[in-house]
């Protein structure tokens, strides 16, 4: 992925290098897990008040691009 991310960072010293929301130890996959479980943006923001809606939206965009570039096509 060549896009620049404002809210997504990866540091080997934080969460084993998993993509996380900048300034937190909240991995992108955790937010996706919440959405997959049916939680709303408001639910996520209540559970993690240090996040912003923009950061959660960027995490979804990041994951969408990662799937397209790393996983597809399925075989």
């Amino acid at each position: 992925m060549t896009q620049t991310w404002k809210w997504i960072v990866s540091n080997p010293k934080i969460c084993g290098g998993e993509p996380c929301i900048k300034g937190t130890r909240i991995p992108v996959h955790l937010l996706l897990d919440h959405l997959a479980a049916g939680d709303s943006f408001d639910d996520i923001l209540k559970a993690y008040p240090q996040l912003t809606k923009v950061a959660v939206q960027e995490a979804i965009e990041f994951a969408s691009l990662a799937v397209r570039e790393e996983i597809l096509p399925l075989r």
Side-chain angles (χ1 to χ4, degrees):
M1 284 183 270
T2 58
Q3 182 163 343
T4 302
W5 303 101
K6 180 178 178 180
W7 294 103
I8 309 300
V9 296
S10 179
N11 180 334
K13 295 180 180 182
I14 299 171
C15 295
E18 290 185 39
C20 293
I21 304 298
K22 185 177 184 177
T24 75
R25 292 182 177 268
I26 301 171
V28 169
H29 75 81
L30 180 65
L31 302 177
L32 298 175
D33 290 345
H34 278 280
L35 291 169
D39 292 344
S40 68
F41 272 65
D42 287 337
D43 295 332
I44 293 169
L45 296 174
K46 286 178 189 171
Y48 304 98
Q50 66 272 43
L51 296 181
T52 64
K53 184 174 181 179
V54 173
V56 176
Q57 288 172 320
E58 188 172 295
I60 295 167
E61 181 183 1
F62 175 86
S64 174
L65 289 174
V67 168
R68 282 185 266 164
E69 292 185 11
E70 301 296 327
I71 296 175
L72 295 179
L74 294 174
R75 296 184 185 173

